[in-house]
Amino acid sequence: LREMQPEICVISLLPLEHDTLGLYYGYPYFWIKSYSAVGRRGKWEGKNVTYYEYSFTYTQDASRKEAMQAQVDQARESYLSLIPEDADVWEASRVLHDELIRRVSYDQTLKREHCRDIYGALVEESAVCQGYAYAFSYLMHNWAERAGIDADALPNEYPTVVSEDHAWNVAAISAAYDTNLDVTWDDIDKTDRNGEPYIMYNYFGMTEEEISRIDSHAAISANDAEVEYLFEEEYPFNYYKHEGYYLTEFDREKIASIFAEQMEKGSNLLTVRFEREEDYEQIQTWVEDEQKLLNELLNDLGYEDAYYYWTVDDSRTFSVGLYAPLEE
């Protein structure tokens, strides 16, 4: 693929259940335009083998590819420079998640040549879900190598989780825990009046069971469940659990305390997540009667400016976007 060969044959001594090389389509080979694969069984050195015959087409010639790779490398270094030297996988994931949201816009046209690969996401800063997912994986993989993390402790299929309709990531090891992460769906492409994006965390750390409730995320293909988990089992990868914004019961004072903490940190987003459906339904009453109850809480916190609010059923999150653009 690096040499842009038009045809490649891959042989395995073990039967392959699916087109494994296909999972790498677009990662990190942004110069691939399309490919086809035919799986067969045959004899090789006297043994029964499975082999795939691939045919590839490319978006440009080799000379242009090298210049484009240099642009990808430059963008990669810009992203990785933002990760603190002592960061763990959670913090590295958060930094990359946030920065991709700041820089990349969803390609609504679906027609850009590189909207499904890392060049589109990292250089052109316009991509669809596949481009977001490949870019996150590419950056995480490069960071992990430099941080000295065992390669076996990170996903080796990119994007790690795919369905027929969507692509996202597993940021650590097992989709059985809460490490599913969807940068695309957290990027709402909306900014406050200062031009700062609202960075959502609705899909930062969801379990396989949670994310499989979403129609577009169903029918997943995940990592080998036998791979050792990178963290202790109780380690909360979910953003809300990790940061203490996850509520097991409805508590107005606790919500006020969380919002106050987020405001003190200078965030333009106030957000909480609920474990129980009934508590999530209760906070939705805050936006009835022209947001009377929500206005009362925000006023108690000293905020009387314009705002957005979002309720997300999939993750049972409630968020308030501060400093909303004023109507002209």
Side-chain angles (χ1 to χ4, degrees):
L1 289 175
R2 293 190 182 94
E3 297 173 356
M4 303 176 69
Q5 295 294 324
E7 296 180 348
I8 300 171
C9 182
V10 177
I11 299 174
S12 173
L13 297 178
L14 300 174
L16 300 177
E17 296 181 358
H18 58 284
D19 170 13
T20 53
L21 187 61
L23 292 173
Y24 290 83
Y25 171 47
Y27 172 86
Y29 312 110
F30 57 83
W31 50 90
I32 297 175
K33 182 177 182 179
S34 64
Y35 80 98
S36 62
V38 178
R40 305 182 188 279
R41 294 282 291 167
K43 289 282 189 180
W44 181 68
E45 295 186 350
K47 299 177 182 179
N48 291 321
V49 298
T50 299
Y51 64 96
Y52 279 91
E53 295 176 340
Y54 293 88
S55 296
F56 289 89
T57 60
Y58 301 96
T59 57
Q60 61 276 312
D61 59 28
S63 61
R64 183 169 173 236
K65 184 199 74 173
E66 296 306 316
M68 294 172 71
Q69 183 65 61
Q71 291 177 291
V72 170
D73 294 345
Q74 183 178 8
R76 178 194 64 211
E77 296 308 306
S78 177
Y79 275 89
L80 297 185
S81 68
L82 301 174
I83 302 176
E85 290 187 7
D86 58 349
D88 62 6
V89 174
W90 187 89
E91 186 171 6
S93 298
R94 183 195 59 77
V95 170
L96 296 178
H97 166 276
D98 292 3
E99 194 62 17
L100 282 166
I101 289 174
R102 288 191 180 94
R103 300 191 193 188
V104 184
S105 295
Y106 191 86
D107 180 11
Q108 300 289 348
T109 71
L110 308 181
K111 294 180 179 179
R112 296 171 67 91
E113 186 174 59
H114 292 283
C115 68
R116 292 175 175 82
D117 60 46
I118 62 173
Y119 187 85
L122 300 180
V123 178
E124 297 179 338
E125 298 184 344
S126 178
V128 296
C129 62
Q130 193 169 330
Y132 278 87
Y134 283 139
F136 180 86
S137 291
Y138 177 75
L139 295 169
M140 278 294 293
H141 182 78
N142 278 270
W143 168 80
E145 285 187 334
R146 299 183 188 188
I149 294 177
D150 186 351
D152 291 335
L154 286 175
N156 56 10
E157 297 177 352
Y158 299 91
T160 305
V161 185
V162 295
S163 74
E164 292 183 0
D165 303 313
H166 195 50
W168 66 100
N169 300 96
V170 172
I173 289 299
S174 175
Y177 297 97
D178 61 352
T179 54
N180 284 275
L181 184 150
D182 191 334
V183 182
T184 310
W185 277 31
D186 276 342
D187 187 0
I188 61 172
D189 278 336
K190 188 177 287 293
T191 61
D192 63 21
R193 73 180 63 145
N194 299 314
E196 290 296 319
Y198 293 110
I199 297 176
M200 297 292 181
Y201 298 96
N202 301 317
Y203 303 96
F204 191 114
M206 301 188 79
T207 65
E208 180 179 344
E209 191 276 329
E210 288 172 331
I211 208 164
S212 65
R213 298 177 198 155
I214 309 170
D215 289 342
S216 63
H217 294 65
I220 69 170
S221 169
N223 282 331
D224 185 347
E226 296 181 0
V227 178
E228 184 179 355
Y229 189 47
L230 187 59
F231 303 113
E232 295 297 328
E233 185 171 341
E234 62 270 17
Y235 186 97
F237 200 88
N238 178 273
Y239 172 82
Y240 290 90
K241 293 179 180 179
H242 188 281
E243 298 295 274
Y245 305 151
Y246 186 91
L247 299 179
T248 58
E249 61 182 4
F250 192 91
D251 184 331
R252 184 186 187 279
E253 294 307 312
K254 179 62 175 176
I255 296 170
S257 176
I258 290 172
F259 283 2
E261 176 185 334
Q262 292 166 346
M263 292 176 69
E264 289 174 5
K265 290 181 178 180
S267 175
N268 64 356
L269 189 76
L270 312 180
T271 185
V272 290
R273 181 180 176 185
F274 296 93
E275 179 175 293
R276 303 187 306 180
E277 183 69 27
E278 57 265 36
D279 295 328
Y280 171 67
E281 291 175 352
Q282 184 172 347
I283 202 169
Q284 291 184 74
T285 65
W286 285 17
V287 295
E288 296 175 354
D289 299 325
E290 297 183 345
Q291 299 89 52
K292 178 181 178 181
L293 295 178
L294 179 57
N295 287 334
E296 289 178 357
L297 183 137
L298 293 176
N299 290 342
D300 290 345
L301 296 175
Y303 185 84
E304 299 181 356
D305 208 334
Y307 63 83
Y308 294 116
Y309 71 84
W310 297 273
T311 57
V312 180
D313 296 346
D314 294 332
S315 56
R316 296 176 186 151
T317 54
F318 180 87
S319 304
V320 179
L322 305 180
Y323 317 115
L326 300 175
E327 295 182 359
E328 295 182 1

